Amino acid sequence: MQIKINEKNLTITSQNPLTINEIVDLLENFQFTIQKLNTSQNNYEIEVNKPIKNKELFTKILKNALLGKIPKKCKLYYFYQLDFSLKEINFLRALAIYQSQIMKFSYEFIINTYIKYSSFIKNPSLEIDTDNQSEHQVLLIFREIKKNIIKTNLEKNKETIAFKIDIKNFKHLLKGINPNIESFVYHNDFCGVHLRMSKISRGGIRYSQRVDFREEIKDLMTTQQYKNAIIIPNGAKGGFFIFDENPSREKIKKCYSLYIDALLDLVDFEYGEDKDFYFVVAADKGTSDFSDIANEIAIKRGYFFKDAFASGGKNGYSHKKLGITALGALTSANRHFLEINKNIFKDEISVVGVGSMRGDVFGNGMLMNENFKLIAAISSKEIFIDPNPDIKKSFLERKRLFENSLSWKHYEKKALSKGAAIFDRSKKTQKISNEIQKLINHDSQIIQTDELIKKLLKLKVDMLYFGAIGTYVKASEEINELISDKQNADIRIDANEIKAFCVCEGANLAMTNKARVEYSQKGRINLDAIDNSAGVNISDYEVNLKLINADVLKYTDIVIKKVLTQNIMQPLRISLDEKLSEEDIKEFANTLQNVETFNEVFKTFDSTKPLRPILAILLLYTKLFIKEKIDFFDEKYLKEYFPLEIDYEKHILKKEIAKTVITNKVVNLYGLKILKNFSTQKIINILILNEVLNLEK
């Protein structure tokens, strides 16, 4: 495309035809009125009502808008009139979108505020001069963002804009829990965030379909922070949102690639104490098969982590093939059954679940016991109900679905019990059999689909198994509309309505914190970060082995055994700590006041009773607390982490790994009581005593 300008006249020559309305609307956005317009063979001669100033910038903006590289109606013309450069304009647009994610104000309001106070935007050191409280907040946060930007990729002149912020310096001005380090990526097709609690942090990258994607990522980062208590890095989470409503898989991959590449622009590519060198990612919702894409980008860019950058790729541990998350979750939930002399992996256990046999956590989970009696399952598109399942037939059929990646609608009808059915969730109502009516205690053949799902979640079974994304349970006191997962608002139930003996959270955020506390007063539950920790644990092993060029696949069995140790020990420790008094809980909570994010997370529980979810969160934050406090280093603890023949001498995280091993050891053995009269010397004494008595055996 070529654009020529002479005073009030401009000529546009385009390879592809442009619509007259497109040209008129765009020029009107620049506050020009068209006097004449002649067209011939993709050539457009236009005369406007006044001379065109700043021709070079005007040409760049007009050309980018006509080519679709920047939105045609985003008030860029105002910034053009205020003599901002094209780079400044694009950066301000990115900042405005970012601010709309961290504040309650719309992008439109933020942009209008930028325009109204353009002098301040050019020079944020000026005094904020407005009586409007909302405008004042926008300008205040804008100044803090600009002041705390650590690094950008603007000098690279790429199609993505990325910047990294030291957000801990102003997160007291924001609501709720926030990260300490935050990166934002903007592109004409998408935008995304990456949130970290410290320089050494890790977590998955997801494709978010929520307009308030940062809120979703922030909630998950909080969970990741205490889930990561058992591994080396702190919590992190990333995600990107595509502006198209229904992007193709190829479009999602392209946006993911651009997002990852832009984030790497913000990383230090050399190791050092003062460097921000540690950046690793993992698969998550919508990106489960993208690890190799990320690793290819990292290798091409020369990032020294190479294929340790993204766990789970072709040279790493496939969570789905190993079934590690489900195995860890069921191992964790087995504590509930062991205490009533049953075994989750052998005995007949009745189950209602959320998920599909195609899924990793649900599919693998429902194959780990041939005697699981699956009564019902709710997936994103279907509802499976088998009132009186034949245990052997149903296991074989679930196995067939999993191995062939099939949904519930492909379930062989001959394997179903009388009255069983598979319903399409897109229908508003369902016609149910007498057997299903009896199962859910409903006196009509017709039932609303949402009501059917709710009744299934309330069934009296041995285990309610969450194996897919979504928040399905709130506390009775919580307001449904305020729960962040809007998609499942119509099927969400109250915790006091659950009749299952126990809940296993194979997926994150299946229940709110308050819901866990409410349910735990009559049922058995741990915490999502306790139940599904095995996935993040094995990924961390993979990264740490790859960083010393070890063949990770060679050590699969050893690593799985090490990972499952935490899924055995942590629920056991919670059971032992259930004997604590309320006074102990208060004392231990007070000790943890200075742990990052603890206060915000803990107060959502609103209880100091010795209930399992309360004890679980205390256990994990005790580990975070002790990892921070340990100030000694002994390489013998590295031997406990790595397979015996591994040479770990040059590992860049030797100190962090040893501290994590010590932390898990002493807290799993001694529980929350370690916080009483806490000192580093107390940890050393415990380690010595443990070696003498060999308590772990």
Side-chain angles (χ1 to χ4, degrees):
M1 179 178 288
Q2 289 185 336
I3 299 175
K4 294 180 180 178
I5 300 173
N6 182 18
E7 292 296 322
K8 298 180 183 179
N9 299 296
L10 66 150
T11 303
I12 303 171
T13 305
S14 173
Q15 289 182 332
N16 300 313
L18 304 170
T19 67
I20 302 301
N21 285 341
E22 189 176 19
I23 296 169
V24 171
D25 288 347
L26 188 53
L27 288 172
E28 284 182 351
N29 276 338
F30 284 95
Q31 296 189 337
F32 290 119
T33 302
I34 295 178
Q35 309 286 13
K36 293 181 183 177
L37 195 157
N38 297 316
T39 68
S40 62
Q41 294 182 344
N42 296 348
N43 193 68
Y44 307 85
E45 294 180 357
I46 305 159
E47 181 184 329
V48 293
N49 62 324
K50 56 187 176 183
I52 299 169
K53 66 170 188 174
N54 202 343
K55 295 177 184 177
E56 184 179 349
L57 177 58
F58 176 83
T59 301
K60 284 182 179 178
I61 295 174
L62 185 65
K63 186 175 181 179
N64 277 307
L66 289 170
L67 289 172
K69 292 183 177 179
I70 53 177
K72 297 180 178 65
K73 293 186 178 181
C74 62
K75 301 202 174 183
L76 296 178
Y77 57 92
Y78 281 119
F79 294 106
Y80 155 75
Q81 290 173 332
L82 295 167
D83 291 326
F84 284 86
S85 69
L86 183 60
K87 185 179 285 188
E88 287 175 320
I89 291 170
N90 284 331
F91 188 48
L92 286 173
R93 175 167 170 75
L95 282 171
I97 292 175
Y98 173 64
Q99 262 195 270
S100 72
Q101 287 290 317
I102 65 172
M103 303 180 76
K104 63 181 179 180
F105 306 116
S106 68
Y107 164 77
E108 192 76 15
F109 177 78
I110 292 168
I111 278 287
N112 286 337
T113 304
Y114 286 4
I115 293 164
K116 185 175 178 180
Y117 299 96
S118 58
S119 297
F120 177 87
I121 297 303
K122 273 190 172 290
N123 182 10
S125 63
L126 294 173
E127 186 177 344
I128 299 174
D129 185 18
T130 175
D131 294 330
N132 184 297
Q133 183 61 30
S134 297
E135 291 176 346
H136 185 277
Q137 281 184 271
V138 168
L139 297 174
L140 175 64
I141 297 299
F142 174 85
R143 175 158 59 197
E144 292 299 321
I145 293 169
K146 286 293 294 290
K147 188 166 63 177
N148 289 285
I149 288 178
I150 306 166
K151 194 172 184 178
T152 77
N153 71 345
L154 293 176
E155 75 284 351
K156 296 181 181 291
N157 294 315
K158 298 170 77 167
E159 57 182 320
T160 51
I161 291 173
F163 49 87
K164 180 166 61 179
I165 308 160
D166 191 354
I167 201 170
K168 71 176 181 293
N169 293 332
F170 65 95
K171 65 179 185 176
H172 61 283
L173 298 173
L174 306 174
K175 290 186 176 181
I177 299 168
N178 281 283
N180 289 318
I181 304 167
E182 178 158 357
S183 297
F184 184 76
V185 176
Y186 167 72
H187 182 274
N188 192 38
D189 291 335
F190 73 93
C191 53
V193 292
H194 190 266
L195 316 180
R196 291 186 287 161
M197 292 308 300
S198 71
K199 284 185 177 179
I200 299 177
S201 299
R202 74 179 302 274
I205 303 291
R206 70 170 34 203
Y207 162 47
S208 175
Q209 293 172 285
R210 281 173 52 175
V211 175
D212 63 336
F213 60 91
R214 184 183 182 270
E215 195 64 29
E216 177 187 28
I217 304 305
K218 190 163 69 106
D219 287 347
L220 289 163
M221 179 212 68
T222 304
T223 301
Q224 197 72 41
Q225 171 67 348
Y226 49 87
K227 184 188 291 188
N228 282 19
I230 64 170
I231 66 171
I232 287 77
N234 285 317
K237 208 73 178 179
F240 59 101
F241 173 80
I242 298 174
F243 300 132
D244 290 354
E245 282 192 20
N246 294 298
S248 65
R249 192 65 178 159
E250 287 307 308
K251 179 73 173 281
I252 296 171
K253 284 182 181 179
K254 180 185 175 184
C255 292
Y256 174 82
S257 299
L258 290 168
Y259 165 81
I260 292 292
D261 183 65
L263 289 175
L264 282 168
D265 290 337
L266 307 177
V267 178
D268 294 331
F269 274 38
E270 63 275 0
Y271 170 67
E273 284 193 17
D274 60 337
K275 300 291 186 181
D276 190 5
F277 66 88
Y278 187 93
F279 179 44
V280 296
V281 302
D284 207 304
K285 179 189 173 189
T287 66
S288 60
D289 56 345
F290 288 1
S291 292
D292 289 327
I293 296 173
N295 283 330
E296 285 169 13
I297 295 168
I299 292 166
K300 186 177 179 181
R301 292 287 304 272
Y303 184 41
F304 70 94
F305 273 53
K306 299 178 182 175
D307 71 347
F309 173 58
S311 57
K314 59 187 176 184
N315 298 319
Y317 296 130
S318 166
H319 289 203
K320 188 169 185 178
K321 287 180 182 177
L322 295 177
I324 188 64
T325 305
L327 179 57
L330 293 177
T331 299
S332 179
N334 196 29
R335 171 50 44 191
H336 308 313
F337 290 99
L338 290 174
E339 292 177 15
I340 58 168
N341 296 315
K342 292 183 79 172
N343 189 313
I344 202 170
F345 296 105
K346 295 178 180 179
D347 294 327
E348 183 179 305
I349 306 285
S350 59
V351 182
V352 167
V354 174
S356 160
M357 287 309 298
R358 291 189 297 182
D360 169 14
V361 181
F362 189 87
N364 274 303
M366 289 300 100
L367 294 180
M368 288 185 178
N369 181 353
E370 293 184 9
N371 293 314
F372 275 148
K373 188 177 180 181
L374 184 62
I375 306 295
I378 302 132
S379 71
S380 59
K381 295 182 179 179
E382 295 143 346
I383 304 166
F384 167 86
I385 307 177
D386 195 4
N388 298 290
D390 180 305
I391 290 177
K392 289 184 179 179
K393 284 183 181 178
S394 59
F395 173 79
L396 292 174
E397 187 58 13
R398 290 198 304 274
K399 189 170 184 286
R400 185 184 72 84
L401 295 184
F402 180 77
E403 290 173 348
N404 294 282
S405 193
L406 298 174
S407 63
W408 290 118
K409 69 181 179 183
H410 297 101
Y411 199 97
E412 178 59 58
K413 289 181 173 56
K414 290 179 182 178
L416 291 168
S417 63
K418 185 181 179 183
I422 293 137
F423 300 106
D424 181 350
R425 275 189 66 176
S426 66
K427 294 181 179 179
K428 289 186 178 181
T429 60
Q430 308 292 347
K431 185 177 180 180
I432 57 176
S433 65
N434 293 334
E435 288 76 14
I436 294 177
Q437 287 181 57
K438 183 179 178 182
L439 176 73
I440 64 174
N441 192 23
H442 188 70
D443 57 6
S444 169
Q445 283 190 331
I446 305 300
I447 187 170
Q448 296 283 327
T449 301
D450 291 346
E451 184 62 25
L452 175 61
I453 292 172
K454 287 181 177 181
K455 282 182 173 288
L456 294 174
L457 292 172
K458 299 173 191 176
L459 284 179
K460 187 175 182 179
V461 289
D462 295 319
M463 180 169 67
L464 182 55
Y465 181 64
F466 291 106
I469 300 297
T471 303
Y472 298 90
V473 188
K474 69 175 185 67
S476 55
E477 68 177 52
E478 289 182 296
I479 299 170
N480 200 26
E481 290 73 21
L482 298 182
I483 307 299
S484 60
D485 176 21
K486 309 301 180 193
Q487 188 174 340
N488 289 302
D490 293 336
I491 61 170
R492 195 171 293 126
I493 64 169
D494 289 345
N496 60 8
E497 298 176 294
I498 298 175
K499 299 181 186 70
F501 164 71
C502 78
V503 170
C504 177
E505 289 187 86
N508 288 328
L509 307 176
M511 301 175 70
T512 67
N513 283 336
K514 288 186 176 181
R516 294 184 185 110
V517 169
E518 184 171 66
Y519 169 72
S520 69
Q521 295 179 60
K522 66 172 185 178
R524 302 276 298 183
I525 186 172
N526 296 314
L527 190 72
D528 54 355
I530 294 287
D531 285 354
N532 64 49
S533 66
V536 70
N537 201 351
I538 200 167
S539 291
D540 199 49
Y541 267 99
E542 178 185 330
V543 171
N544 285 315
L545 287 168
K546 282 182 174 179
L547 284 174
I548 47 177
N549 298 313
D551 180 358
V552 298
L553 300 180
K554 177 181 176 182
Y555 302 109
T556 302
D557 292 341
I558 296 172
V559 169
I560 288 175
K561 187 176 180 180
K562 288 176 179 292
V563 164
L564 292 179
T565 297
Q566 295 303 323
N567 294 96
I568 294 168
M569 292 299 292
Q570 292 197 137
L572 172 59
R573 185 67 257 169
I574 294 168
S575 288
L576 294 171
D577 281 345
E578 280 184 299
K579 302 183 188 305
L580 296 170
S581 67
E582 290 185 35
E583 287 71 26
D584 286 330
I585 299 294
K586 288 178 185 176
E587 181 182 346
F588 300 146
N590 288 335
T591 307
L592 298 172
Q593 293 296 308
N594 65 338
V595 177
E596 190 69 54
T597 74
F598 174 75
N599 290 333
E600 286 285 347
V601 171
F602 190 72
K603 72 184 181 185
T604 64
F605 284 87
D606 195 28
S607 171
T608 54
K609 294 179 181 179
L611 300 168
R612 292 190 73 87
I614 301 290
L615 296 169
I617 197 73
L618 280 166
L619 178 79
L620 295 176
Y621 275 104
T622 298
K623 291 189 174 185
L624 291 171
F625 172 80
I626 289 176
K627 275 202 287 186
E628 285 182 13
K629 295 294 182 183
I630 292 173
D631 57 3
F632 62 92
F633 172 68
D634 191 328
E635 286 199 9
K636 68 182 179 183
Y637 295 109
L638 290 170
K639 294 177 183 177
E640 294 188 31
Y641 182 87
F642 290 107
L644 290 177
E645 67 268 34
I646 291 288
D647 180 11
Y648 48 76
E649 289 300 319
K650 294 182 180 179
H651 203 290
I652 60 176
L653 298 177
K654 282 200 302 185
K655 185 176 180 181
E656 289 81 2
I657 292 170
K659 286 166 67 172
T660 302
V661 171
I662 291 168
T663 297
N664 282 321
K665 182 186 293 288
V666 297
V667 179
N668 286 347
L669 287 173
Y670 286 84
L672 303 181
K673 289 182 180 178
I674 197 170
L675 294 171
K676 206 171 185 96
N677 304 316
F678 177 81
S679 69
T680 304
Q681 186 59 47
K682 187 173 184 178
I683 294 178
I684 295 171
N685 293 342
I686 287 172
L687 291 170
I688 293 169
L689 181 64
N690 178 54
E691 288 181 17
V692 172
L693 300 179
N694 203 7
L695 290 177
E696 286 165 285
K697 292 186 179 178

